[in-house]
Amino acid sequence: MPGRKHTITVVAFEGVQLLDVTGPVEVFTTANQYGADYDVRIVSPTGLGVRTSSGVTIGVDGMQAGFPPGPNTVVVPGRKDWRSAVADTTLIDLVHRLAEGADRVVSVCAGAFVLAEAGLLNGRRVATHWEMAAQLAAAYADTRVEDNPIFIQDGHVITSAGVTAGIDLALHLVERDWGADVARGVARELVVFMARPGGQAQFSARLVTREPRHAAIRRVLDHVAADPAGEHTLDSLACAGGLSRRHLARLFRTEVGMTPGQYVESVRTEAARALLEGGSGSVEEVAQQAGFGSSESLRRVFQHTLGVSPSAYRARFRSTVPEPGELSGAHPVGRTFP
């Protein structure tokens, strides 16, 4: 709330991801230079400094922060070895106690596992690193895990995707607490997006499907992957697998987890991503080579699955070198709020 000091308590622990801690802390402390009033504290289960995932030791302010009058937020970072984190009963107890007195509880990356173990995510929609989403859903069945959003708010609990997404979330909180002008100033200072375009899908690994047990389905998958631009109708795929159309569709659902058409589109999307990252052809040429037929079809699929256009994807993932004119003309914070 503008005009009121806001306490931010960040929980650090052994093996914590360094940037999960320092990213949000940097955002909140930088916000103070632009008119915010955050009291940022780092605590640990033991009250002692902790050794982070990168081997850097960070100091803390104690074991538990007492909340002064005014709004307060608890931030729980993650550890890639989340099983070690959730097995630390002292850590879970600390998070549970802090959460009881908090106006807002936030997790970064695998910090969602800690919140879940503390019983804070039951029945809630949850985000975490795309690579860990399935593990979170399997370990905590009462959560509703989504693998694409950068962050999700459900009630007073906000969970975010991996590592640098903690910066996105912290900027969002700064805007809510102190307004868009303050958040915009922080984004410019840190040279980051005010709001990152797209979701996690644009950063995830190459297409991952279940490994089918049925030899005919493996033949069909290999057939599509060998020629993404081929005319892969249901009839032609059934022929490649030596199956009836109906049997093919049923086996795909069971063994691959999607329809044949969805699989073909996924393979073509991956082919287009590779062409955009490493080739020099136009978007229209990429669409033809990947089997989409037209640039408009390719754009629709990219917007739906990745949240960005093919041109934006190429610009973001092909090189760290700015395009001509960007050094003097482009603004570093990307899309901003009005």
Side-chain angles (χ1 to χ4, degrees):
M1 297 179 184
R4 298 183 64 190
K5 182 179 286 293
H6 195 127
T7 302
I8 304 288
T9 302
V10 182
V11 180
F13 50 91
E14 288 298 314
V16 71
Q17 189 93 13
L18 178 62
L19 195 55
D20 285 7
V21 176
T22 57
V25 166
E26 192 69 28
V27 170
F28 293 127
T29 54
T30 301
N32 287 342
Q33 302 173 29
Y34 291 89
D37 191 1
Y38 287 115
D39 176 9
V40 182
R41 309 172 181 192
I42 302 177
V43 302
S44 72
T46 63
L48 303 174
V50 300
R51 187 175 176 83
T52 66
S53 59
S54 62
V56 175
T57 298
I58 57 176
V60 303
D61 298 304
M63 294 180 65
Q64 182 167 350
F67 293 131
N72 61 79
T73 298
V74 174
V75 178
V76 180
R79 173 178 176 171
K80 192 164 188 179
D81 178 13
W82 60 266
R83 291 177 179 82
S84 295
V86 301
D88 185 344
T89 56
T90 306
L91 168 63
I92 302 304
D93 288 345
L94 173 60
V95 170
H96 187 78
R97 291 197 307 273
L98 289 171
E100 285 184 328
D103 296 309
R104 196 164 58 191
V105 181
V106 171
S107 69
V108 180
C109 195
F113 288 88
V114 177
L115 294 192
E117 185 66 21
L120 300 171
L121 299 184
N122 293 343
R124 296 189 190 276
R125 293 176 58 238
V126 181
T128 189
H129 192 292
W130 63 266
E131 201 170 25
M132 298 180 177
Q135 298 174 50
L136 181 62
Y140 300 95
D142 288 338
T143 61
R144 291 182 287 157
V145 183
E146 299 183 21
D147 62 3
N148 189 46
I150 299 298
F151 56 82
I152 292 175
Q153 177 161 2
D154 191 330
H156 74 296
V157 178
I158 312 175
T159 51
S160 79
V163 198
T164 58
I167 295 174
D168 296 81
L169 175 52
L171 278 169
H172 169 71
L173 298 180
V174 168
E175 188 197 8
R176 288 187 54 186
D177 296 340
W178 301 96
D181 286 344
V182 175
R184 193 174 292 115
V186 176
R188 292 190 181 112
E189 175 85 11
L190 300 183
V191 197
V192 296
F193 286 111
M194 175 80 161
R196 187 195 309 247
Q200 291 194 76
Q202 58 188 308
F203 301 97
S204 61
R206 290 287 177 211
L207 176 67
V208 178
T209 60
R210 305 172 192 168
E211 182 64 28
R213 293 170 294 176
H214 201 291
I217 297 301
R218 291 197 297 270
R219 286 198 302 272
V220 173
L221 299 188
D222 291 342
H223 175 71
V224 175
D227 182 19
E231 188 176 348
H232 299 305
T233 65
L234 189 57
D235 284 331
S236 68
L237 295 180
C239 182
L243 303 167
S244 69
R245 290 163 46 112
R246 189 171 182 178
H247 195 191
L248 174 72
R250 184 167 63 250
L251 283 176
F252 246 79
R253 283 287 191 187
T254 302
E255 300 218 1
V256 185
M258 60 181 72
T259 68
Q262 288 170 333
Y263 177 74
V264 170
E265 183 176 281
S266 296
V267 171
R268 287 173 174 168
T269 301
E270 292 304 308
R273 287 169 67 164
L275 289 166
L276 289 167
E277 290 171 12
S280 57
S282 67
V283 172
E284 186 66 41
E285 289 170 334
V286 168
Q288 293 290 337
Q289 292 169 28
F292 284 99
S294 71
S295 58
E296 183 55 37
S297 295
L298 178 61
R299 288 189 186 95
R300 282 199 302 269
V301 171
F302 262 56
Q303 288 288 357
H304 177 70
T305 60
L306 304 179
V308 293
S309 69
S311 297
Y313 181 88
R314 165 176 274 166
R316 191 165 303 125
F317 291 96
R318 187 175 176 187
S319 174
T320 59
V321 179
E323 294 292 329
E326 283 190 353
L327 288 174
S328 59
H331 203 281
V333 299
R335 181 172 68 87
T336 58
F337 293 91

